[in-house]
Amino acid sequence: MKKILTPVLVTLALGFSVSLAPAKDVALLNVSYDPTRELYQDYNQVFADYWKKKTGDDVTITQSHGGSGKQARAVIDGLSADVVTLGLPPDINSIVNTAHTINPKWEGLYPDHSTPYTSTIVFLVRKGNPKGVKDWPDLVKSGIEVVTPNPKTSGGARWNFLAAYGYAKNTGQEPKAFVKALYGNVKVLDTGARGSTVTFTERGEGDVLIAWENEALLSVKGAPDQFEIVYPSQTILAEPPVAVVDANVDKHGTRDVAVAYLQYLYSPEGQDVIARNYYRPRDKAVLAKYSSQYPPIKLFTEAEQFGPWDKVQKDYFGDGGVFDEIYKAPATAAK
């Protein structure tokens, strides 16, 4: 934290001067998951303006993005994040349990178990939907090429996996066989959700991208003549969490601004930024304002289908877990 060294002197009517506290230049590092670049570029400016008006201090927020699991590992290995805004709770818990730099009770420190916005998992297809993709069973058909990232490194990929697995459970199918058939149609696993979006939208690979809703909406906005969204009959409620990295903010002297940075996500202004970047805001009034961009959809939760996140992480995505059982990497290496 850098301080402006010259104090400001103010002469009062009584004839003597007082020195006001100097303004500060404050720097924060937000380590986030793959598709949140546009969200936090927008939010960072809104927050910086708010903080300047509130305190007189200038705050600069640097962003780091990648697959959620990779980002958690980077923080564990020493990336000096002030806050983390990751794809799912196990990634924050891995920092808690391995690096011990985040309060173990982090989920209770902000509303909605520290998830200021939600999203869900949908399909992005090419304009006109040439392969006729309507629901999850279409993704296991012969001749369909599916694009999705790697659950070992990407939080979005784990939501994708659980959405498909939960659909199979809820419709009386054998879920492990269903997701094995689906991943049999996946040729390459990118390390993060944005990488998979680039593979589908820019490299032209695949027939359908399993995507965060916000990522799909952003793609359609950028190229409405090339892509469209298919909402499956049911899918999962995704809740990306946030946390202050306590050891780092105490070392940097940035706790007040880091806490405020996450708190302000819940404000009407922060929720509006969230909604205009295609995430689903928690604030009901803001959600109603943007309701036209969020079609009604049947959602199930991770908790009701699979149980506690730490068990899910171990059983489904840990070494030797369900994903390792069902997926055999093709000859083409993951990007």
Side-chain angles (χ1 to χ4, degrees):
M1 187 184 301
K2 299 177 181 177
K3 292 187 178 182
I4 299 173
L5 298 178
T6 305
V8 179
L9 294 178
V10 178
T11 302
L12 302 179
L14 294 177
F16 56 87
S17 298
V18 296
S19 177
L20 298 180
K24 303 170 189 173
D25 291 333
V26 185
L28 289 183
L29 174 59
N30 175 8
V31 173
S32 196
Y33 65 106
D34 225 7
T36 58
R37 291 166 175 83
E38 295 79 10
L39 166 62
Y40 284 110
Q41 285 170 4
D42 194 354
Y43 175 71
N44 290 347
Q45 185 57 58
V46 171
F47 176 78
D49 292 344
Y50 157 77
W51 195 247
K52 178 72 171 177
K53 291 175 184 176
K54 179 180 174 67
T55 68
D57 296 343
D58 293 305
V59 58
T60 302
I61 302 101
T62 303
Q63 300 170 215
S64 171
H65 297 274
S68 188
K70 284 186 67 177
Q71 293 292 82
R73 171 49 60 184
V75 174
I76 291 168
D77 290 342
L79 181 59
S80 197
D82 296 277
V83 299
V84 289
T85 56
L86 296 177
L88 68 179
D91 292 330
I92 295 181
N93 285 337
S94 70
I95 301 170
V96 172
N97 296 330
T98 305
H100 311 292
T101 53
I102 293 176
N103 185 338
K105 297 181 179 180
W106 64 269
E107 285 186 274
L109 300 180
Y110 296 94
D112 300 303
H113 38 275
S114 293
T115 58
Y117 45 84
T118 69
S119 189
T120 188
I121 302 304
V122 302
F123 308 147
L124 186 69
V125 299
R126 307 200 184 279
K127 192 68 175 180
N129 195 5
K131 292 297 181 80
V133 173
K134 297 183 176 65
D135 206 352
W136 290 103
D138 296 313
L139 274 57
V140 303
K141 291 180 178 177
S142 177
I144 292 286
E145 290 193 1
V146 177
V147 177
T148 183
N150 189 340
K152 292 289 194 175
T153 54
S154 166
R158 277 169 275 171
W159 288 116
N160 294 354
F161 181 101
L162 295 177
Y165 204 100
Y167 168 83
K169 285 179 65 178
N170 290 339
T171 54
Q173 302 179 65
E174 205 296 304
K176 192 178 293 187
F178 183 84
V179 295
K180 182 174 182 178
L182 190 158
Y183 279 88
N185 287 339
V186 177
K187 306 307 178 189
V188 176
L189 294 176
D190 290 286
T191 58
R194 180 57 59 88
S196 285
T197 301
V198 169
T199 293
F200 184 78
T201 61
E202 297 183 18
R203 299 190 182 118
E205 297 183 31
D207 301 307
V208 55
L209 170 69
I210 309 177
W212 291 98
E213 179 184 42
N214 57 281
E215 193 80 338
L217 287 167
L218 187 64
S219 297
V220 171
K221 178 187 177 184
D225 59 334
Q226 296 182 46
F227 308 109
E228 59 188 73
I229 297 174
V230 173
Y231 280 84
S233 60
Q234 58 179 284
T235 185
I236 198 164
L237 175 68
E239 298 179 291
V242 302
V244 168
V245 185
D246 296 274
N248 290 344
V249 298
D250 289 342
K251 180 171 62 177
H252 302 158
T254 55
R255 177 173 289 278
D256 287 349
V257 66
V259 168
Y261 180 78
L262 297 185
Q263 285 178 335
Y264 199 65
L265 284 166
Y266 292 89
S267 70
E269 295 79 11
Q271 292 282 290
D272 194 78
V273 172
I274 285 163
R276 68 178 181 239
N277 283 279
Y278 305 115
Y279 294 81
R280 296 188 179 216
R282 291 290 192 178
D283 187 293
K284 292 182 179 179
V286 177
L287 181 61
K289 177 182 172 183
Y290 289 88
S291 61
S292 62
Q293 72 186 26
Y294 302 119
I297 187 171
K298 183 178 180 181
L299 298 172
F300 55 84
T301 69
E302 169 273 328
E304 66 193 17
Q305 289 290 325
F306 300 99
W309 256 120
D310 286 348
K311 186 175 188 303
V312 172
Q313 175 65 28
K314 177 182 177 183
D315 291 351
Y316 289 85
F317 308 115
D319 291 342
V322 173
F323 178 75
D324 285 349
E325 288 180 33
I326 64 98
Y327 183 74
K328 300 295 185 233
T332 304
K335 290 174 276 186

